[in-house]
Amino acid sequence: MVNGECIVTFDDSVCMEVLDVFGKSVDSEGFIVEKENMAQKVLSEDGQEVNIKEFGGIKKGSEVFIKNDLVSLMRLSKE
Amino acid sequence: MAWLDKLKALFNFELNAPLINITKNSGNSNLGKEYVNSGEKIDILFDNLSKEKQEKLKLILKEKVEEGSKLLEEKSFGLLRELINFQRTKGEDKKVLDFFQNLIPKEDFEALESSLYLRRRFQEKRDVSKLKEDIRTRFGDRGKNISNLCTAGYFENFLMPLFNSSKEGFDNIYNVVVSRSPMAIFVHSAMGEDQITRDIKTGLEVSKKYGIKFLHIHGIGDQNIRTIKRCIYENKELFNYYDKEIFENNGIIIVELIL
């Protein structure tokens, strides 16, 4: 548990399955996109496109994508 | 947490590990197993589940996020856990952050905070290359400079005393320091002696212009130390013009020129 929350994680091997749960896929350049509209890229909380290599997770109703870089996770650590 | 009850019911396991991880990788030794409990975590082996269970698991994960919980990639969670601990145990780093919080631009402050964590990892002799790259990717060369200056202690040992002695001096110099790092050259493996020499000459010029009384050349690792020493040897005339001190210990070299 962290901060009272039960922690569930996923590793790289099931990234695509996790994205599928939330109606997302990956385009030819590796950016996470809406499955129903592959031209629409998802955005992180600060408005950045998210490549599958940067995919750190999801929060809040499936529309907020977390990037796995130090700065993004530092911001998350304060929530 | 309704989703957690459903998860426990789906696999009929007691939650006696702090972490549940979803993975495809099962390995031959786990054939037929739906999950593996190591005590520290429970790995749910996705490919070993029936299609029906896979679909139920996906719905549970969706419900978890919709209820307000996060769903994190494993390595990201590992870093997040360390950062939460960093937030709780800042110690002396908190003094630095409190000092600069309302003094420097928001992005610089973020770069500084990330750099303080990076410095802690560096001092623990852990790999920091990805963290450094993350700061540079987000904040560019300015972020890279802040990261280097922070790791070498310039925020505490130069910028803080500077502000305390002269706010005007700080206001005049801060932006030059973080955008160009004139008084501190950080040698890395891709730098040759020619570039170091160019950077030194530029550093000397800018430092003099802004009244900075020293120039430091930093290097970590045998290769960078050798490069710096070759540079000093091949530019004897330039280096002999200034009072010079060389500090070398534990694979770190700092050459100080007094201007």
Side-chain angles (χ1 to χ4, degrees):
Chain A
M1 296 252 180
V2 173
N3 295 337
E5 191 177 327
C6 182
I7 303 303
V8 176
T9 62
F10 60 94
D11 67 21
D12 287 350
S13 65
V14 290
C15 268
M16 295 306 297
E17 284 77 3
V18 169
L19 288 177
D20 185 60
V21 169
F22 297 96
K24 312 295 185 242
S25 184
V26 172
D27 71 9
S28 57
E29 291 176 332
F31 287 102
I32 300 174
V33 295
E34 297 288 343
K35 248 170 86 168
E36 301 302 315
N37 179 3
M38 298 282 284
Q40 187 178 342
K41 293 187 175 104
V42 305
L43 299 178
S44 64
E45 202 158 28
D46 56 358
Q48 297 193 339
E49 294 168 348
V50 184
N51 193 286
I52 189 71
K53 292 179 205 166
E54 302 169 317
F55 181 39
I58 299 172
K59 65 174 187 172
K60 278 187 196 169
S62 88
E63 294 306 318
V64 181
F65 280 75
I66 301 165
K67 292 181 93 170
N68 61 13
D69 66 287
L70 172 59
V71 180
S72 297
L73 293 173
M74 182 67 84
R75 288 177 186 166
L76 196 62
S77 73
K78 298 181 194 182
E79 287 183 7
Chain B
M1 288 186 276
W3 67 266
L4 184 56
D5 293 332
K6 288 177 187 173
L7 186 67
K8 285 194 264 187
L10 184 64
F11 294 101
N12 197 27
F13 58 46
E14 282 302 313
L15 188 63
N16 58 1
L19 179 64
I20 300 171
N21 182 55
I22 319 285
T23 179
K24 229 182 227 195
N25 300 323
S26 53
N28 288 333
S29 59
N30 294 322
L31 281 174
K33 290 183 186 172
E34 291 185 331
Y35 62 89
V36 174
N37 188 344
S38 67
E40 286 183 2
K41 69 172 173 172
I42 296 173
D43 275 313
I44 294 176
L45 308 177
F46 191 81
D47 273 3
N48 288 4
L49 306 179
S50 66
K51 287 290 173 216
E52 186 188 349
K53 265 194 173 167
Q54 286 181 351
E55 292 309 310
K56 282 184 178 172
L57 177 59
K58 284 180 177 181
L59 286 174
I60 290 169
L61 294 179
K62 190 165 184 179
E63 194 175 322
K64 171 179 164 47
V65 173
E66 285 172 353
E67 279 183 18
S69 291
K70 293 180 273 292
L71 179 63
L72 293 169
E73 186 274 325
E74 192 179 21
K75 289 195 283 294
S76 297
F77 169 68
L79 179 53
L80 177 64
R81 189 163 50 181
E82 291 205 6
L83 292 173
I84 290 172
N85 187 53
F86 171 74
Q87 296 293 345
R88 289 179 184 153
T89 60
K90 276 183 184 153
E92 291 297 309
D93 291 342
K94 187 175 186 314
K95 289 181 190 169
V96 178
L97 288 169
D98 287 346
F99 188 93
F100 287 102
Q101 179 149 28
N102 297 315
L103 277 186
I104 63 179
K106 182 174 177 282
E107 285 205 342
D108 287 3
F109 183 80
E110 278 205 286
L112 175 60
E113 186 175 32
S114 294
S115 299
L116 285 167
Y117 170 74
L118 182 155
R119 182 169 76 180
R120 189 180 287 195
R121 285 263 293 244
F122 176 74
Q123 288 167 346
E124 292 169 0
K125 300 196 187 321
R126 297 163 68 189
D127 181 41
V128 295
S129 49
K130 166 93 177 40
L131 301 179
K132 209 165 179 177
E133 188 53 38
D134 284 349
I135 295 172
R136 185 184 184 147
T137 300
R138 184 66 71 122
F139 301 116
D141 281 348
R142 194 176 175 98
K144 180 197 77 177
N145 290 340
I146 288 173
S147 174
N148 285 334
L149 291 166
C150 171
T151 303
Y154 283 91
F155 276 81
E156 293 100 318
N157 300 322
F158 177 63
L159 289 171
M160 281 171 76
L162 176 63
F163 180 87
N164 288 332
S165 73
S166 165
K167 187 182 177 308
E168 193 184 341
F170 177 88
D171 289 341
N172 287 339
I173 287 178
Y174 172 77
N175 199 46
V176 171
V177 167
V178 297
S179 59
R180 300 174 70 177
S181 185
M183 76 295 180
I185 294 161
F186 297 90
V187 173
H188 55 80
S189 56
M191 286 171 84
E193 287 141 48
D194 287 348
Q195 188 180 343
I196 299 172
T197 306
R198 278 197 300 275
D199 286 356
I200 290 169
K201 288 179 178 169
T202 303
L204 288 170
E205 209 176 292
V206 176
S207 289
K208 279 185 194 160
K209 182 179 173 187
Y210 289 93
I212 299 172
K213 302 288 183 203
F214 64 88
L215 178 75
H216 290 157
I217 305 157
H218 295 259
I220 299 173
D222 291 340
Q223 182 189 340
N224 292 328
I225 292 174
R226 280 197 299 271
T227 305
I228 290 169
K229 285 181 175 176
R230 270 200 311 272
C231 182
I232 295 173
Y233 179 78
E234 284 171 16
N235 293 280
K236 274 199 282 266
E237 220 174 278
L238 170 67
F239 280 94
N240 288 344
Y241 183 79
Y242 301 99
D243 286 336
K244 179 172 79 258
E245 289 266 14
I246 299 179
F247 306 94
E248 187 179 348
N249 193 24
N250 281 338
I252 295 175
I253 189 169
I254 304 173
V255 179
E256 177 175 69
L257 302 182
I258 306 298
L259 310 184

